[in-house]
Amino acid sequence: MFSSRLPDNVATNRLTDAVRARRARGEPFIDLTESNPTRAGLDYPADLLAPLADARGLRYAPSPLGAIDARRAVSADYARQGMSVPAERIALTASTSDGYSLLFKLLADAGDDVLVPRPSYPLFDHLTRLDLVVARHYDLDPHGGWAIDFDSLERAITPRTRAVLVVSPNNPTGSFVSMAELDRLAAICAARGLAIIADEVFSDYELEPGAGAGVGRAAARTDVLSFALGGLSKSVGLPQVKLGWIAAGGPEPEVTAALERLELICDTYLAVSTPVQLAAPALLERGAAVRAHISTRIRRNYQTLQRAAGAVPSCRVLRSDGGWYAVLQVPSLESEEDLVLRLLADGVLAHPGYFFDFSRESFLVVSLLPPEAAFADGISRILRHFDCTVPRI
Ligand SMILES: Cc1ncc(COP(=O)(O)O)c(C=O)c1O
């Protein structure tokens, strides 16, 4: 009765069940998987969403790629980041996930494939499958600061490959795609007629000072059809408002042809609400305060993690250049799943590395968003499992 876009087994896993059971028993725990900024105790100005009540929103005048004023506001936001992206090259979406879906419809037929990085964002399996696209993995090299392993990338290309996805900075490795990497990727893609899709939702968030400099940006390409994805969800911490965007780069004729087709797809769904389009300029501007608070929070938590793990010789924090996550390498004394269940019993929840397709165990992925005190408490609960300091005799 149901389509093969969905997995055969939609049952929950052992970890989800354990979390639910703990909640049902009313036993609190520190959630270091919390990646919803609106639940992280951040300061949101109380009237931040007032622009959504603009009375002009009472009138419906749909424009498939989005209202031009909202697209101009996104263009101005790129200018804030030092990039020149014309409003005409920007399409509004309901979210980044929506952006992926629109681009898969634009670029791929059923059964075509796209290359996705490993380790990375677990949603790719679902996003591709729901659009009948096959996800093929290429590796990021853990020993080279998670740089793209170009041998594995070229091996992954098939005659049905339509696009290469990059995430910069990546979730969860925190690695940016450098300008040199993007140049090399562009040469590979241009030679084979592949597009680049770059998820840049975390591009505002640097963890290591200066790490965001010299980073490759997809919308700035002139040599290969490229699409950068961004949105309010991360850039101003408003995932519930549902506004994202696609910014196209590449040779003019290809960009024009792509945008004409994207317009047709967007016209079919018209998924972005009028109030959010009217509010976009104000939300992008006023949201800067939330972005600043998030930046401070994640940097402090990252430093806390480095300091705390530095005192436990068997654990290591992997360098994370940007984004909202950090990776802790821990001894493999049991499976990651068993470890995470044991930690939950001790009142702290972290993601196991296998969620993100790390090539081996044992890694824990933690969100850097939780309030500082809870974060520090959660990290010390994790580390004490590995802290076998010899008692003085
Ligand atoms: C890399 C990455 N892209 C996209 C998203 C989702 O963004 P949106 O809420 O705009 O769909 C996430 C959410 O965690 C993410 O980690």
Side-chain angles (χ1 to χ4, degrees), residues 265-282:
I265 304 169
C266 291
D267 198 20
T268 308
Y269 294 98
L270 294 170
V272 190
S273 84
T274 301
V276 79
Q277 296 188 52
L278 290 168

Side-chain angles (χ1 to χ4, degrees), residues 147-166:
I148 295 173
D149 175 344
F150 279 97
D151 288 340
S152 82
L153 188 139
E154 296 207 48
R155 276 198 307 273
I157 297 173
T158 74
R160 299 204 64 177
T161 305
R162 307 303 310 137
V164 178
L165 276 54
V166 296

Side-chain angles (χ1 to χ4, degrees), residues 35 95-97 100 121 167 171 199 201-202 233-234 239 242 325:
S35 57
S95 66
T96 316
S97 297
Y100 278 116
Y121 184 41
V167 185
N171 168 5
D199 183 331
V201 293
F202 292 114
S233 161
K234 315 293 180 206
K242 293 286 158 200
Y325 303 92

